[in-house]
């Protein structure tokens, strides 16, 4: 029997790929999924009514790259093709992504032409950043913060106004702490191996491309033909984990809700005991952990304190989400929304204009994101939902000039919801997996703590981790 710990997207995807592997290899493996709460989907949660959808966690998925195409393959297999709502490259939500700087909203360039023009708050056309890169001397490093790297290669303005807010939007983190390898691994390698990004890019043009080939589903091909920028799911993103969970149940995966695991004991390389909160002990041959690294740290602490220590070194941040519904239509201009660079020292991270990005919304729907890396600093230890709502309203009234109050709102405080891939993260994960291998522990690590924080990364990590495990070959 194989146990899967956690029923968020990481755990569900692991069960899905194990199931597929089972069928392909004629295995008769029993799969047991263990989820602490009464819901499968983890942070993916939607509130839907006939007038609006409030996404409390993620809302858009990127279709591009191998991980994006892989998720689309899964979507088609689950019968979700007709439920997807794509945003193509020429949609206002794809073209109009803004930042709030010096009390003004500025649209970031979204095409090549824009790179040659001067766009406020940048003092020069962005193309000048490439000259900066060519001029910079070589600096040998193992890792660096993404902020330092971009400042060194392309200048301070790009680091402050493009990269720092982008990191807030992706992981609610501080670009001065997040590893450059999180988003710019190839660019960093070009700098390290060729002395600069432009130099490295020129050399790579003459090299043949290698990498995993993926068989594309019709849906994945369609996303390429129609040039999707991002997509959402009609009726809310929650449809994805809910459908995936149904698929697993129909295929005899034993899905156990309200089952919190409190301790893991490794007996030998093919036996592991999982103790749950009611004192019951479950026995498995292998366990896939998709729970956050800090939760797993607690479960292995007794038997493997060193492993626990490494796992606890992966930090997480708390995010406040304020969803707002205004009955009035078009209170904001058509755009994806805006992010606020940390240098502005605002209490909010950004605002998504959901009624522009998602279908079937009658009125104006906005989501304000707050806190992240700065949650405690801005809101203290006793942040209340009321406090977050008041701050969110005060900021959107000021920035978007909205006069009315919302007809409906929802506030969620998502405690330790996004892992931070700080400098040294990839080496730390390598060390953790090395420890597991050296000690022959029958456990594999999936989920957002290790190989990428987005939906596509989590799905793809489940696929690659099960492939790497010899017991299923
Ligand atoms: C606010 C927010 C916005 C986001 N926006 C986007 C976006 O727009 N696009 C995108 O691609 N990604 C986005 N993400 C990231 C995306 O949501 C995550 O990558 C993904 O949901 C992580 O899934 P997971 O299974 O790894 O973890 P989780 O969702 O954390 O699931 C872990 C599960 O394990 C369970 N669990 C924990 N401990 C135990 C235990 N001891 N025993 C049993 N079960 C346990 C939990 O209850 C939970 O269900 C966002 C995330 C957040 C928080």
């Amino acid at each position: 029997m194989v146990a899967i710990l956690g029923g968020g997207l990481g755990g569900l995807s692991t069960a899905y790929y194990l199931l597929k592997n089972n069928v392909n290899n004629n295995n008769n493996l029993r799969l047991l999924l263990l989820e602490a709460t009464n819901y499968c989907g983890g942070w993916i949660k939607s509130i839907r009514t006939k007038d609006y959808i409030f996404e409390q966690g993620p809302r858009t998925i990127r279709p591009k790259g191998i991980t994006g195409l892989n998720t689309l393959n899964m979507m088609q297999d689950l019968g979700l093709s007709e439920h997807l709502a794509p945003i193509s490259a020429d949609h206002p939500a794809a073209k109009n992504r803004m930042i709030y700087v010096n009390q003004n909203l500025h649209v970031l360039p979204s095409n090549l032409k824009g790179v040659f023009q001067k766009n406020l708050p940048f003092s020069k056309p962005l193309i000048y950043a490439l000259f900066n890169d060519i001029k910079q001397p070589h600096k040998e490093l193992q890792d660096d913060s993404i902020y330092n790297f971009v400042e060194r290669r392309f200048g301070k303005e790009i680091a402050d106004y493009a990269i720092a807010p982008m990191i807030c939007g992706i992981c609610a983190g501080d670009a001065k702490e997040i590893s450059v390898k999180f988003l710019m691994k190839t660019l960093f390698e070009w700098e390290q191996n060729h002395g600069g990004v432009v130099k490295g890019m020129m050399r790579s043009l003459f090299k043949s491309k290698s990498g995993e080939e993926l068989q594309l589903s019709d849906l994945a091909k369609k996303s390429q033909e129609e040039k999707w920028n991002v997509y959402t799911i009609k009726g809310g993103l929650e449809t994805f984990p809910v459908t995936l969970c149904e698929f697993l149940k129909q295929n005899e995966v034993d899905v156990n809700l309200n089952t919190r695991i409190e301790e893991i004991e490794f007996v030998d390389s093919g036996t592991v005991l999982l103790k749950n909160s009611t004192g019951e002990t479950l026995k498995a041959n292998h366990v896939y952990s998709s729970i956050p690294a800090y939760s797993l740290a607690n479960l292995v602490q007794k038997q493997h304190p060193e492993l626990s220590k490494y796992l606890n070194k992966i930090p997480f941040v708390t995010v406040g989400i304020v969803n707002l519904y205004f009955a009035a239509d078009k209170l904001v201009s058509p755009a994806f929304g805006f992010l606020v660079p940390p240098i502005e020292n605002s209490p909010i991270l950004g605002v998504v204009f959901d009624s522009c990005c998602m279908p079937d919304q009658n009125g104006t729907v906005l989501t304000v994101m707050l806190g992240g890396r700065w949650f405690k600093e801005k809101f203290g230890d006793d942040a209340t939902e009321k406090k977050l709502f008041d701050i969110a309203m005060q900021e959107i009234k000021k920035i978007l000039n909205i006069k009315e109050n919302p007809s409906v709102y929802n506030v969620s405080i998502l405690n330790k919801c996004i892992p931070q891939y700080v400098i040294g993260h990839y080496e730390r994960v390598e060390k953790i997996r090395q420890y597991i291998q050296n000690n022959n522990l029958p456990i594999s690590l999936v989920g957002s703590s290790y190989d990428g924080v987005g939906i596509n990364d989590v799905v793809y990590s489940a696929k690659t981790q099960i492939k790497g495990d010899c017991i299923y070959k």
Side-chain angles (χ1 to χ4, degrees):
M1 187 176 72
V2 171
I4 299 140
L5 195 50
L9 190 61
L12 296 170
S13 306
T14 305
Y16 169 88
Y17 286 115
L18 283 169
L19 201 59
K20 294 276 162 189
N21 223 42
N22 247 348
V23 175
N24 290 345
N25 297 339
N26 276 329
N27 285 342
N28 204 7
L29 206 61
R30 227 188 110 206
L31 301 177
L32 179 70
L33 188 137
L34 307 159
E35 163 56 42
T37 67
N38 63 357
Y39 166 77
C40 267
W43 294 118
I44 309 178
K45 274 194 184 138
S46 320
I47 300 173
R48 45 194 132 156
T49 71
K50 69 175 187 17
D51 290 320
Y52 60 85
I53 294 167
F54 284 169
E55 293 289 7
Q56 289 168 285
R59 68 206 58 245
T60 50
I61 309 179
R62 290 186 67 78
K64 291 184 188 141
I66 191 158
T67 60
L69 294 165
N70 178 64
T71 307
L72 285 168
N73 283 357
M74 187 198 258
M75 293 276 184
Q76 174 167 321
D77 191 45
L78 294 172
L80 287 173
S81 302
E82 298 307 314
H83 296 259
L84 303 193
I87 294 171
S88 59
D90 55 0
H91 190 280
K95 287 198 295 190
N96 301 335
R97 288 172 183 258
M98 300 181 285
I99 52 170
Y100 182 69
V101 173
N102 295 333
Q103 280 140 52
N104 276 305
L105 287 171
H106 303 278
V107 179
L108 290 170
S110 63
N111 56 25
L112 194 61
K113 201 173 136 207
V115 173
F116 289 92
Q117 293 165 339
K118 188 181 142 185
N119 303 280
L120 285 175
F122 301 97
S123 58
K124 287 189 247 162
L126 294 184
I127 189 72
Y128 279 87
L130 297 185
F131 300 128
N132 194 68
D133 173 60
I134 294 165
K135 281 191 311 204
Q136 285 310 308
H138 182 71
K139 189 171 181 188
E140 209 170 300
L141 293 165
Q142 290 299 312
D143 197 353
D144 200 357
S145 77
I146 192 161
Y147 183 95
N148 272 352
F149 171 77
V150 171
E151 187 187 25
R152 176 168 70 246
R153 304 283 8 144
F154 305 119
K156 184 166 163 39
E157 282 187 353
I158 303 218
D160 279 330
Y161 298 141
I163 297 307
M166 194 200 287
I167 291 294
C168 288
I170 297 174
C171 68
D174 184 350
K176 292 182 175 167
E177 295 171 355
I178 300 292
S179 164
V180 59
K181 298 176 194 173
F182 177 57
L183 283 188
M184 299 187 168
K185 185 164 181 279
T186 309
L187 271 57
F188 182 61
E189 282 167 1
W190 283 343
E191 181 200 47
Q192 292 303 307
N193 299 333
H194 305 294
V197 175
V198 175
K199 287 179 199 158
M201 186 170 63
M202 300 308 277
R203 295 206 190 172
S204 78
L205 291 177
F206 301 104
K207 270 197 182 161
S208 64
K209 286 198 176 125
S210 61
E212 194 196 327
E213 290 288 324
L214 187 74
Q215 277 239 317
L216 296 191
S217 60
D218 290 344
L219 182 64
K221 284 182 197 156
K222 188 175 169 204
S223 77
Q224 292 182 322
E225 282 155 19
E226 293 179 0
K227 296 193 170 45
W228 294 7
N229 181 271
V230 288
Y231 61 96
T232 63
I233 303 185
K234 292 172 201 160
L237 220 62
E238 189 179 290
T239 308
F240 183 23
V242 167
T243 310
L244 185 48
C245 189
E246 271 316 301
F247 173 87
L248 299 177
K249 285 186 196 158
Q250 280 161 16
N251 286 280
E252 289 169 20
V253 174
D254 193 354
V255 177
N256 288 258
L257 299 179
N258 302 310
T259 310
R260 177 173 294 280
I261 298 302
E262 292 197 327
E263 197 184 329
I264 296 181
E265 189 187 330
F266 300 102
V267 180
D268 56 40
S269 61
T271 317
V272 51
L273 303 177
L274 304 152
K275 297 177 193 170
N276 74 18
S277 47
T278 56
E280 226 182 315
T281 300
L282 303 155
K283 190 170 162 187
N285 303 106
H286 195 89
V287 60
Y288 283 88
S289 171
S290 75
I291 65 176
Y294 64 86
S295 301
L296 180 63
N298 287 339
L299 309 193
V300 299
Q301 158 69 31
K302 212 159 148 189
Q303 207 181 16
H304 291 279
E306 198 180 337
L307 177 60
S308 175
K309 197 178 84 196
Y310 294 147
L311 288 164
N312 262 327
K313 285 205 170 133
I314 300 174
F316 278 69
V317 296
T318 296
V319 177
I321 298 286
V322 180
N323 302 107
L324 305 163
Y325 169 69
F326 302 86
D329 210 4
K330 301 194 176 66
L331 286 180
V332 290
S333 58
F336 188 84
F338 66 88
L339 290 164
V340 189
I343 198 172
E344 293 292 300
N345 201 16
S346 163
I348 66 169
L349 297 170
V351 179
V352 182
F353 299 176
D354 295 300
S355 36
C356 181
C357 316
M358 299 196 293
D360 308 324
Q361 316 256 37
N362 296 321
T364 303
V365 185
L366 305 174
T367 302
V368 186
M369 295 167 298
L370 307 96
R373 172 64 183 84
W374 301 271
F375 195 91
K376 203 168 163 189
E377 185 184 314
K378 305 263 180 204
F379 314 118
D381 283 325
D382 57 348
T384 60
E385 294 182 357
K386 163 101 179 51
K387 186 168 173 183
L388 295 191
F389 173 74
D390 289 345
I391 292 173
M393 281 311 297
Q394 177 192 311
E395 291 301 303
I396 67 148
K397 283 186 175 178
K398 180 178 83 188
I399 299 170
L400 297 171
N401 201 19
I402 290 178
K403 307 260 181 297
E404 46 268 83
N405 285 320
S407 317
V408 189
Y409 68 89
N410 184 72
V411 184
S412 332
I413 299 179
L414 311 180
N415 190 35
K416 291 171 99 175
C417 64
I418 309 186
Q420 303 290 289
Y421 289 13
V422 295
I423 300 170
H425 172 84
Y426 297 89
E427 293 71 20
R428 185 168 298 124
V429 171
E430 181 66 40
K431 221 174 188 178
I432 292 171
R433 291 205 166 109
Q434 199 61 55
Y435 181 98
I436 290 171
Q437 199 182 334
N438 292 348
N439 289 278
N440 280 321
L441 305 182
I443 186 169
S444 305
L445 307 177
V446 293
S448 62
S449 298
Y450 313 101
D451 305 311
V453 302
I455 284 180
N456 292 328
D457 306 311
V458 166
V459 172
Y460 196 68
S461 148
K463 184 179 179 182
T464 46
Q465 285 306 312
I466 74 140
K467 248 190 179 171
D469 287 332
C470 55
I471 52 167
Y472 308 114
K473 276 184 186 159

